[in-house]
Short mmCIF file of all heavy atoms in Angstrom, two decimals:
data_model
loop_
_atom_site.label_atom_id
_atom_site.label_comp_id
_atom_site.label_asym_id
_atom_site.label_seq_id
_atom_site.Cartn_x
_atom_site.Cartn_y
_atom_site.Cartn_z
N LYS A 329 0.37 4.24 -3.69
CA LYS A 329 1.12 5.39 -3.17
C LYS A 329 1.27 6.46 -4.27
O LYS A 329 1.03 6.17 -5.46
CB LYS A 329 2.47 4.89 -2.65
CG LYS A 329 2.35 3.88 -1.50
CD LYS A 329 3.71 3.47 -0.97
CE LYS A 329 3.60 2.48 0.19
NZ LYS A 329 4.93 2.14 0.77
N ILE A 381 9.58 9.60 4.07
CA ILE A 381 8.34 8.87 3.78
C ILE A 381 7.15 9.83 3.88
O ILE A 381 6.26 9.82 3.04
CB ILE A 381 8.16 7.67 4.76
CG1 ILE A 381 9.31 6.67 4.60
CG2 ILE A 381 6.80 7.00 4.58
CD1 ILE A 381 9.32 5.86 3.34
N TYR A 384 7.13 12.21 0.91
CA TYR A 384 6.68 11.49 -0.28
C TYR A 384 5.19 11.16 -0.23
O TYR A 384 4.45 11.41 -1.19
CB TYR A 384 7.52 10.21 -0.42
CG TYR A 384 6.89 9.12 -1.23
CD1 TYR A 384 6.57 9.33 -2.58
CD2 TYR A 384 6.62 7.87 -0.68
CE1 TYR A 384 6.00 8.32 -3.33
CE2 TYR A 384 6.05 6.86 -1.42
CZ TYR A 384 5.74 7.09 -2.74
OH TYR A 384 5.17 6.09 -3.48
N THR A 411 9.26 -5.63 0.39
CA THR A 411 9.35 -4.20 0.72
C THR A 411 10.52 -3.54 0.01
O THR A 411 10.39 -2.46 -0.58
CB THR A 411 9.54 -4.04 2.25
OG1 THR A 411 8.50 -4.75 2.92
CG2 THR A 411 9.54 -2.59 2.66
N LYS A 412 11.69 -4.18 0.10
CA LYS A 412 12.90 -3.62 -0.51
C LYS A 412 12.83 -3.82 -2.02
O LYS A 412 12.78 -4.96 -2.49
CB LYS A 412 14.15 -4.29 0.06
CG LYS A 412 14.35 -3.96 1.53
CD LYS A 412 15.78 -4.24 1.95
CE LYS A 412 16.08 -3.55 3.26
NZ LYS A 412 16.32 -4.42 4.38
N PHE A 413 12.86 -2.71 -2.75
CA PHE A 413 12.58 -2.80 -4.18
C PHE A 413 13.55 -3.71 -4.92
O PHE A 413 13.17 -4.38 -5.87
CB PHE A 413 12.51 -1.39 -4.80
CG PHE A 413 13.82 -0.83 -5.23
CD1 PHE A 413 14.10 -0.66 -6.57
CD2 PHE A 413 14.78 -0.49 -4.31
CE1 PHE A 413 15.31 -0.15 -6.99
CE2 PHE A 413 16.00 0.02 -4.71
CZ PHE A 413 16.27 0.18 -6.05
N GLU A 414 14.80 -3.77 -4.43
CA GLU A 414 15.80 -4.59 -5.13
C GLU A 414 15.62 -6.08 -4.83
O GLU A 414 16.21 -6.92 -5.50
CB GLU A 414 17.23 -4.11 -4.82
CG GLU A 414 17.74 -4.44 -3.42
CD GLU A 414 17.32 -3.44 -2.35
OE1 GLU A 414 16.40 -2.65 -2.57
OE2 GLU A 414 17.95 -3.47 -1.27
N GLU A 415 14.80 -6.37 -3.81
CA GLU A 415 14.53 -7.78 -3.48
C GLU A 415 13.19 -8.25 -4.02
O GLU A 415 12.86 -9.43 -3.95
CB GLU A 415 14.56 -7.97 -1.95
CG GLU A 415 15.97 -7.87 -1.39
CD GLU A 415 16.02 -7.87 0.13
OE1 GLU A 415 14.99 -8.09 0.79
OE2 GLU A 415 17.12 -7.64 0.65
N ARG A 422 5.72 -4.62 -7.00
CA ARG A 422 6.93 -3.86 -6.66
C ARG A 422 8.10 -4.29 -7.54
O ARG A 422 8.89 -3.46 -7.97
CB ARG A 422 7.26 -4.03 -5.18
CG ARG A 422 6.30 -3.24 -4.27
CD ARG A 422 6.47 -3.64 -2.82
NE ARG A 422 5.79 -2.74 -1.90
CZ ARG A 422 5.65 -2.98 -0.61
NH1 ARG A 422 6.14 -4.10 -0.08
NH2 ARG A 422 5.03 -2.12 0.18
N ALA A 426 8.53 -0.77 -8.88
CA ALA A 426 9.15 0.10 -7.87
C ALA A 426 10.57 0.50 -8.26
O ALA A 426 11.36 -0.34 -8.69
CB ALA A 426 9.15 -0.59 -6.51
N MET A 427 10.86 1.77 -8.10
CA MET A 427 12.19 2.30 -8.44
C MET A 427 13.01 2.64 -7.21
O MET A 427 14.16 3.03 -7.30
CB MET A 427 12.03 3.53 -9.34
CG MET A 427 11.38 3.16 -10.67
SD MET A 427 10.78 4.58 -11.58
CE MET A 427 12.32 5.33 -12.08
N SER A 428 12.42 2.51 -6.01
CA SER A 428 13.15 2.67 -4.75
C SER A 428 12.30 2.04 -3.64
O SER A 428 11.11 1.77 -3.85
CB SER A 428 13.43 4.14 -4.43
OG SER A 428 12.24 4.78 -4.02
N THR A 429 12.92 1.82 -2.46
CA THR A 429 12.17 1.22 -1.35
C THR A 429 11.22 2.24 -0.74
O THR A 429 10.08 1.91 -0.39
CB THR A 429 13.14 0.67 -0.29
OG1 THR A 429 13.89 -0.38 -0.90
CG2 THR A 429 12.39 0.10 0.92
N GLY A 430 11.66 3.48 -0.64
CA GLY A 430 10.79 4.53 -0.10
C GLY A 430 9.56 4.71 -0.96
O GLY A 430 8.45 4.88 -0.48
N GLN A 431 9.77 4.68 -2.27
CA GLN A 431 8.67 4.91 -3.21
C GLN A 431 8.36 3.57 -3.89
O GLN A 431 8.74 3.34 -5.04
CB GLN A 431 9.06 5.97 -4.23
CG GLN A 431 9.58 7.23 -3.54
CD GLN A 431 9.61 8.46 -4.43
OE1 GLN A 431 9.16 8.46 -5.56
NE2 GLN A 431 10.14 9.54 -3.89
N ASN A 432 7.70 2.71 -3.11
CA ASN A 432 7.53 1.34 -3.61
C ASN A 432 6.07 1.03 -4.00
O ASN A 432 5.58 -0.07 -3.82
CB ASN A 432 8.09 0.32 -2.61
CG ASN A 432 7.42 0.38 -1.26
OD1 ASN A 432 6.51 1.18 -1.05
ND2 ASN A 432 7.83 -0.47 -0.34
N ILE A 433 5.40 2.06 -4.56
CA ILE A 433 4.16 1.87 -5.33
C ILE A 433 2.90 1.53 -4.54
O ILE A 433 1.84 2.08 -4.81
CB ILE A 433 4.35 0.76 -6.42
CG1 ILE A 433 5.48 1.13 -7.38
CG2 ILE A 433 3.07 0.44 -7.16
CD1 ILE A 433 5.08 2.10 -8.48
#
Side-chain angles (χ1 to χ4, degrees):
K329 299 183 180 184
I381 298 289
Y384 158 61
T411 306
K412 293 198 164 114
F413 86 111
E414 73 276 17
E415 289 172 8
R422 286 169 169 171
M427 296 165 71
S428 73
T429 297
Q431 308 197 5
N432 60 0
I433 301 279

